[in-house]
Amino acid sequence: MTITSSEASRMIAAAIAKARDENMKPLGVIILDAGGHAVAFQRENGATFIRFSIAEAKAWTALSLKMSSRSYQEMANERPEFAGSLNGITDGRMAASAGGLLIERDGEIIGAIGVSGDLPNNDEIAADAGVAAI
């Protein structure tokens, strides 16, 4: 199974709509397929250019560990040496911050969403709205 570009667009639109409903700061939202490749990305006006890299890192972290980037953050707090090792092994690609969630269909991981631009808890709220769109 894979994520279509249409589904990716719907997820991004839903994440951004939630952010606007909640009066969040401008976001960057990315959808990765199960192989970690970008399917779609959108940066709202006013979001800084680094939002692509942060959103991608959050989604990549979730996908690579099969857990939310929040869960990785919690694990990193409990086991900082291991988290540091993972960050080194992955050339700094890990993001220990909420906003990266897995996308599943019929019990299979088909990708991940990453959101960056507001506080991590808000990024995760927007990401969850994105996942719920499909």
Side-chain angles (χ1 to χ4, degrees):
M1 283 186 209
T2 188
I3 299 170
T4 67
S5 59
S6 174
E7 289 172 325
S9 294
R10 284 199 322 265
M11 286 186 278
I12 289 172
I16 290 174
K18 181 66 171 179
R20 292 309 102 238
D21 288 346
E22 300 289 330
N23 210 21
M24 294 180 195
K25 294 178 183 173
L27 302 179
V29 183
I30 194 167
I31 308 298
L32 303 181
D33 66 16
H37 304 285
V39 177
F41 173 78
Q42 185 172 338
R43 183 188 61 82
E44 289 186 280
N45 290 339
T48 61
F49 64 86
I50 198 168
R51 296 301 161 196
F52 174 86
S53 298
I54 297 169
E56 182 183 38
K58 289 179 178 186
W60 193 86
T61 297
L63 194 58
S64 67
L65 297 175
K66 296 185 179 180
M67 66 171 65
S68 70
S69 58
R70 174 187 296 280
S71 294
Y72 174 65
Q73 177 184 13
E74 292 166 358
M75 187 270 295
N77 289 339
E78 293 172 10
R79 299 167 51 199
E81 297 85 5
F82 180 64
S85 295
L86 282 179
N87 210 34
I89 291 165
T90 62
D91 295 324
R93 292 188 72 179
M94 306 303 282
S97 180
L101 298 174
L102 295 171
I103 303 166
E104 298 182 52
R105 180 178 293 138
D106 299 327
E108 181 182 338
I109 296 169
I110 60 169
I113 184 172
V115 176
S116 176
D118 205 290
L119 297 172
N121 288 343
N122 288 339
D123 290 348
E124 187 173 75
I125 288 168
D128 191 51
V131 172
I134 66 161

mmCIF file of all heavy atoms in Angstrom, residues 39-70:
data_model
loop_
_atom_site.group_PDB
_atom_site.id
_atom_site.type_symbol
_atom_site.label_atom_id
_atom_site.label_comp_id
_atom_site.label_asym_id
_atom_site.label_seq_id
_atom_site.Cartn_x
_atom_site.Cartn_y
_atom_site.Cartn_z
ATOM 1 N N VAL A 39 6.211 12.688 -0.406
ATOM 2 C CA VAL A 39 5.103 12.618 -1.353
ATOM 3 C C VAL A 39 4.593 14.030 -1.612
ATOM 4 O O VAL A 39 4.290 14.390 -2.742
ATOM 5 C CB VAL A 39 3.955 11.723 -0.820
ATOM 6 C CG1 VAL A 39 2.769 11.717 -1.766
ATOM 7 C CG2 VAL A 39 4.452 10.308 -0.559
ATOM 8 N N ALA A 40 4.517 14.834 -0.548
ATOM 9 C CA ALA A 40 4.044 16.212 -0.680
ATOM 10 C C ALA A 40 4.535 17.025 0.506
ATOM 11 O O ALA A 40 4.745 16.498 1.598
ATOM 12 C CB ALA A 40 2.526 16.253 -0.752
ATOM 13 N N PHE A 41 4.692 18.327 0.267
ATOM 14 C CA PHE A 41 5.060 19.279 1.309
ATOM 15 C C PHE A 41 4.396 20.601 1.008
ATOM 16 O O PHE A 41 4.268 20.980 -0.156
ATOM 17 C CB PHE A 41 6.577 19.489 1.372
ATOM 18 C CG PHE A 41 6.982 20.593 2.315
ATOM 19 C CD1 PHE A 41 6.995 20.385 3.684
ATOM 20 C CD2 PHE A 41 7.315 21.850 1.835
ATOM 21 C CE1 PHE A 41 7.345 21.405 4.562
ATOM 22 C CE2 PHE A 41 7.671 22.877 2.694
ATOM 23 C CZ PHE A 41 7.689 22.656 4.067
ATOM 24 N N GLN A 42 3.971 21.270 2.061
ATOM 25 C CA GLN A 42 3.456 22.631 1.899
ATOM 26 C C GLN A 42 3.924 23.479 3.068
ATOM 27 O O GLN A 42 3.909 23.027 4.216
ATOM 28 C CB GLN A 42 1.934 22.654 1.831
ATOM 29 C CG GLN A 42 1.383 24.040 1.553
ATOM 30 C CD GLN A 42 -0.107 24.033 1.301
ATOM 31 O OE1 GLN A 42 -0.685 23.013 0.934
ATOM 32 N NE2 GLN A 42 -0.736 25.174 1.510
ATOM 33 N N ARG A 43 4.349 24.700 2.744
ATOM 34 C CA ARG A 43 4.755 25.673 3.758
ATOM 35 C C ARG A 43 3.815 26.854 3.640
ATOM 36 O O ARG A 43 3.661 27.434 2.572
ATOM 37 C CB ARG A 43 6.196 26.136 3.524
ATOM 38 C CG ARG A 43 6.715 27.101 4.572
ATOM 39 C CD ARG A 43 8.069 27.684 4.181
ATOM 40 N NE ARG A 43 8.027 28.430 2.939
ATOM 41 C CZ ARG A 43 7.616 29.702 2.841
ATOM 42 N NH1 ARG A 43 7.207 30.366 3.893
ATOM 43 N NH2 ARG A 43 7.614 30.305 1.658
ATOM 44 N N GLU A 44 3.166 27.181 4.761
ATOM 45 C CA GLU A 44 2.285 28.335 4.756
ATOM 46 C C GLU A 44 3.097 29.623 4.668
ATOM 47 O O GLU A 44 4.243 29.679 5.131
ATOM 48 C CB GLU A 44 1.459 28.389 6.038
ATOM 49 C CG GLU A 44 0.401 27.328 6.154
ATOM 50 C CD GLU A 44 -0.453 27.566 7.375
ATOM 51 O OE1 GLU A 44 -0.008 27.197 8.484
ATOM 52 O OE2 GLU A 44 -1.548 28.138 7.222
ATOM 53 N N ASN A 45 2.490 30.655 4.097
ATOM 54 C CA ASN A 45 3.116 31.968 4.107
ATOM 55 C C ASN A 45 3.425 32.355 5.552
ATOM 56 O O ASN A 45 2.593 32.178 6.431
ATOM 57 C CB ASN A 45 2.197 33.024 3.490
ATOM 58 C CG ASN A 45 2.051 32.852 2.001
ATOM 59 O OD1 ASN A 45 2.879 32.222 1.350
ATOM 60 N ND2 ASN A 45 0.980 33.399 1.447
ATOM 61 N N GLY A 46 4.625 32.835 5.762
ATOM 62 C CA GLY A 46 5.038 33.241 7.103
ATOM 63 C C GLY A 46 5.824 32.182 7.852
ATOM 64 O O GLY A 46 6.478 32.486 8.845
ATOM 65 N N ALA A 47 5.759 30.944 7.409
ATOM 66 C CA ALA A 47 6.560 29.886 8.039
ATOM 67 C C ALA A 47 7.985 29.985 7.498
ATOM 68 O O ALA A 47 8.184 30.205 6.302
ATOM 69 C CB ALA A 47 5.976 28.509 7.733
ATOM 70 N N THR A 48 8.958 29.845 8.355
ATOM 71 C CA THR A 48 10.342 29.964 7.923
ATOM 72 C C THR A 48 10.757 28.769 7.075
ATOM 73 O O THR A 48 10.160 27.698 7.131
ATOM 74 C CB THR A 48 11.287 30.078 9.137
ATOM 75 O OG1 THR A 48 11.157 28.888 9.930
ATOM 76 C CG2 THR A 48 10.941 31.296 9.982
ATOM 77 N N PHE A 49 11.803 28.971 6.266
ATOM 78 C CA PHE A 49 12.229 27.930 5.326
ATOM 79 C C PHE A 49 12.755 26.677 6.010
ATOM 80 O O PHE A 49 12.751 25.607 5.416
ATOM 81 C CB PHE A 49 13.264 28.474 4.331
ATOM 82 C CG PHE A 49 14.563 28.901 4.952
ATOM 83 C CD1 PHE A 49 15.575 28.002 5.182
ATOM 84 C CD2 PHE A 49 14.762 30.237 5.301
ATOM 85 C CE1 PHE A 49 16.777 28.390 5.745
ATOM 86 C CE2 PHE A 49 15.954 30.637 5.864
ATOM 87 C CZ PHE A 49 16.966 29.716 6.091
ATOM 88 N N ILE A 50 13.165 26.757 7.258
ATOM 89 C CA ILE A 50 13.679 25.569 7.962
ATOM 90 C C ILE A 50 12.555 24.583 8.315
ATOM 91 O O ILE A 50 12.819 23.436 8.665
ATOM 92 C CB ILE A 50 14.490 25.957 9.204
ATOM 93 C CG1 ILE A 50 15.360 24.777 9.640
ATOM 94 C CG2 ILE A 50 13.565 26.442 10.325
ATOM 95 C CD1 ILE A 50 16.401 25.120 10.678
ATOM 96 N N ARG A 51 11.315 25.018 8.175
ATOM 97 C CA ARG A 51 10.183 24.152 8.531
ATOM 98 C C ARG A 51 10.172 22.868 7.710
ATOM 99 O O ARG A 51 9.744 21.827 8.201
ATOM 100 C CB ARG A 51 8.853 24.891 8.381
ATOM 101 C CG ARG A 51 8.718 26.066 9.330
ATOM 102 C CD ARG A 51 8.840 25.633 10.769
ATOM 103 N NE ARG A 51 9.161 26.777 11.614
ATOM 104 C CZ ARG A 51 9.612 26.665 12.841
ATOM 105 N NH1 ARG A 51 9.820 25.471 13.380
ATOM 106 N NH2 ARG A 51 9.871 27.738 13.546
ATOM 107 N N PHE A 52 10.645 22.915 6.464
ATOM 108 C CA PHE A 52 10.719 21.691 5.662
ATOM 109 C C PHE A 52 11.608 20.669 6.365
ATOM 110 O O PHE A 52 11.219 19.516 6.555
ATOM 111 C CB PHE A 52 11.255 21.972 4.254
ATOM 112 C CG PHE A 52 11.469 20.710 3.460
ATOM 113 C CD1 PHE A 52 10.429 20.149 2.739
ATOM 114 C CD2 PHE A 52 12.698 20.057 3.451
ATOM 115 C CE1 PHE A 52 10.609 18.972 2.010
ATOM 116 C CE2 PHE A 52 12.885 18.874 2.736
ATOM 117 C CZ PHE A 52 11.835 18.341 2.018
ATOM 118 N N SER A 53 12.810 21.084 6.738
ATOM 119 C CA SER A 53 13.772 20.159 7.348
ATOM 120 C C SER A 53 13.280 19.626 8.676
ATOM 121 O O SER A 53 13.457 18.442 8.986
ATOM 122 C CB SER A 53 15.117 20.860 7.530
ATOM 123 O OG SER A 53 15.647 21.240 6.279
ATOM 124 N N ILE A 54 12.658 20.485 9.490
ATOM 125 C CA ILE A 54 12.171 20.037 10.799
ATOM 126 C C ILE A 54 10.998 19.081 10.627
ATOM 127 O O ILE A 54 10.955 18.021 11.266
ATOM 128 C CB ILE A 54 11.792 21.236 11.683
ATOM 129 C CG1 ILE A 54 13.019 22.100 11.974
ATOM 130 C CG2 ILE A 54 11.162 20.755 12.992
ATOM 131 C CD1 ILE A 54 12.695 23.439 12.626
ATOM 132 N N ALA A 55 10.048 19.442 9.769
ATOM 133 C CA ALA A 55 8.892 18.565 9.535
ATOM 134 C C ALA A 55 9.345 17.213 8.979
ATOM 135 O O ALA A 55 8.867 16.159 9.405
ATOM 136 C CB ALA A 55 7.897 19.235 8.579
ATOM 137 N N GLU A 56 10.290 17.250 8.041
ATOM 138 C CA GLU A 56 10.808 16.003 7.472
ATOM 139 C C GLU A 56 11.473 15.152 8.556
ATOM 140 O O GLU A 56 11.266 13.935 8.607
ATOM 141 C CB GLU A 56 11.791 16.296 6.355
ATOM 142 C CG GLU A 56 12.327 15.030 5.707
ATOM 143 C CD GLU A 56 13.359 15.299 4.634
ATOM 144 O OE1 GLU A 56 14.181 16.233 4.797
ATOM 145 O OE2 GLU A 56 13.354 14.561 3.642
ATOM 146 N N ALA A 57 12.252 15.771 9.428
ATOM 147 C CA ALA A 57 12.920 15.025 10.494
ATOM 148 C C ALA A 57 11.917 14.392 11.447
ATOM 149 O O ALA A 57 12.097 13.248 11.888
ATOM 150 C CB ALA A 57 13.879 15.939 11.258
ATOM 151 N N LYS A 58 10.853 15.107 11.770
ATOM 152 C CA LYS A 58 9.832 14.544 12.659
ATOM 153 C C LYS A 58 9.156 13.336 12.009
ATOM 154 O O LYS A 58 8.983 12.294 12.652
ATOM 155 C CB LYS A 58 8.790 15.602 13.019
ATOM 156 C CG LYS A 58 9.311 16.678 13.964
ATOM 157 C CD LYS A 58 8.222 17.709 14.245
ATOM 158 C CE LYS A 58 8.686 18.773 15.208
ATOM 159 N NZ LYS A 58 7.571 19.683 15.586
ATOM 160 N N ALA A 59 8.767 13.468 10.746
ATOM 161 C CA ALA A 59 8.127 12.349 10.045
ATOM 162 C C ALA A 59 9.105 11.189 9.888
ATOM 163 O O ALA A 59 8.741 10.025 10.085
ATOM 164 C CB ALA A 59 7.608 12.808 8.683
ATOM 165 N N TRP A 60 10.342 11.485 9.530
ATOM 166 C CA TRP A 60 11.367 10.459 9.329
ATOM 167 C C TRP A 60 11.631 9.707 10.626
ATOM 168 O O TRP A 60 11.783 8.480 10.624
ATOM 169 C CB TRP A 60 12.641 11.104 8.792
ATOM 170 C CG TRP A 60 13.638 10.138 8.271
ATOM 171 C CD1 TRP A 60 13.712 9.611 7.015
ATOM 172 C CD2 TRP A 60 14.729 9.566 9.001
ATOM 173 N NE1 TRP A 60 14.782 8.756 6.924
ATOM 174 C CE2 TRP A 60 15.416 8.700 8.130
ATOM 175 C CE3 TRP A 60 15.179 9.699 10.314
ATOM 176 C CZ2 TRP A 60 16.532 7.977 8.524
ATOM 177 C CZ3 TRP A 60 16.297 8.970 10.710
ATOM 178 C CH2 TRP A 60 16.965 8.122 9.811
ATOM 179 N N THR A 61 11.675 10.429 11.738
ATOM 180 C CA THR A 61 11.880 9.801 13.048
ATOM 181 C C THR A 61 10.750 8.822 13.344
ATOM 182 O O THR A 61 10.995 7.678 13.739
ATOM 183 C CB THR A 61 11.978 10.870 14.150
ATOM 184 O OG1 THR A 61 13.121 11.688 13.900
ATOM 185 C CG2 THR A 61 12.087 10.249 15.533
ATOM 186 N N ALA A 62 9.512 9.274 13.160
ATOM 187 C CA ALA A 62 8.361 8.403 13.414
ATOM 188 C C ALA A 62 8.425 7.152 12.545
ATOM 189 O O ALA A 62 8.258 6.033 13.034
ATOM 190 C CB ALA A 62 7.061 9.169 13.153
ATOM 191 N N LEU A 63 8.705 7.354 11.283
ATOM 192 C CA LEU A 63 8.738 6.244 10.336
ATOM 193 C C LEU A 63 9.877 5.275 10.650
ATOM 194 O O LEU A 63 9.684 4.052 10.646
ATOM 195 C CB LEU A 63 8.877 6.798 8.921
ATOM 196 C CG LEU A 63 8.614 5.870 7.762
ATOM 197 C CD1 LEU A 63 7.211 5.282 7.826
ATOM 198 C CD2 LEU A 63 8.806 6.632 6.461
ATOM 199 N N SER A 64 11.045 5.802 10.938
ATOM 200 C CA SER A 64 12.207 4.932 11.136
ATOM 201 C C SER A 64 12.121 4.110 12.421
ATOM 202 O O SER A 64 12.668 3.013 12.486
ATOM 203 C CB SER A 64 13.497 5.751 11.128
ATOM 204 O OG SER A 64 13.566 6.608 12.248
ATOM 205 N N LEU A 65 11.439 4.629 13.431
ATOM 206 C CA LEU A 65 11.334 3.920 14.705
ATOM 207 C C LEU A 65 9.963 3.288 14.945
ATOM 208 O O LEU A 65 9.752 2.641 15.969
ATOM 209 C CB LEU A 65 11.666 4.867 15.863
ATOM 210 C CG LEU A 65 13.084 5.419 15.879
ATOM 211 C CD1 LEU A 65 13.248 6.427 17.005
ATOM 212 C CD2 LEU A 65 14.097 4.299 16.007
ATOM 213 N N LYS A 66 9.032 3.520 14.006
ATOM 214 C CA LYS A 66 7.667 3.010 14.138
ATOM 215 C C LYS A 66 7.024 3.477 15.443
ATOM 216 O O LYS A 66 6.372 2.714 16.163
ATOM 217 C CB LYS A 66 7.627 1.485 14.014
ATOM 218 C CG LYS A 66 8.046 0.999 12.649
ATOM 219 C CD LYS A 66 7.889 -0.486 12.512
ATOM 220 C CE LYS A 66 8.316 -0.901 11.110
ATOM 221 N NZ LYS A 66 8.187 -2.336 10.923
ATOM 222 N N MET A 67 7.226 4.768 15.722
ATOM 223 C CA MET A 67 6.620 5.406 16.887
ATOM 224 C C MET A 67 6.538 6.901 16.606
ATOM 225 O O MET A 67 7.235 7.400 15.727
ATOM 226 C CB MET A 67 7.445 5.163 18.156
ATOM 227 C CG MET A 67 8.821 5.821 18.140
ATOM 228 S SD MET A 67 9.744 5.782 19.707
ATOM 229 C CE MET A 67 10.048 4.062 19.937
ATOM 230 N N SER A 68 5.692 7.590 17.325
ATOM 231 C CA SER A 68 5.596 9.030 17.125
ATOM 232 C C SER A 68 6.903 9.710 17.524
ATOM 233 O O SER A 68 7.680 9.171 18.322
ATOM 234 C CB SER A 68 4.441 9.609 17.950
ATOM 235 O OG SER A 68 4.759 9.561 19.335
ATOM 236 N N SER A 69 7.132 10.876 16.965
ATOM 237 C CA SER A 69 8.339 11.614 17.366
ATOM 238 C C SER A 69 8.237 12.043 18.828
ATOM 239 O O SER A 69 9.249 12.207 19.494
ATOM 240 C CB SER A 69 8.586 12.814 16.442
ATOM 241 O OG SER A 69 7.503 13.700 16.422
ATOM 242 N N ARG A 70 7.011 12.189 19.353
ATOM 243 C CA ARG A 70 6.833 12.449 20.793
ATOM 244 C C ARG A 70 7.356 11.263 21.611
ATOM 245 O O ARG A 70 8.039 11.441 22.613
ATOM 246 C CB ARG A 70 5.377 12.703 21.134
ATOM 247 C CG ARG A 70 5.137 12.840 22.656
ATOM 248 C CD ARG A 70 3.674 12.929 23.021
ATOM 249 N NE ARG A 70 3.041 14.113 22.498
ATOM 250 C CZ ARG A 70 3.139 15.330 23.043
ATOM 251 N NH1 ARG A 70 3.861 15.504 24.136
ATOM 252 N NH2 ARG A 70 2.518 16.358 22.511
#
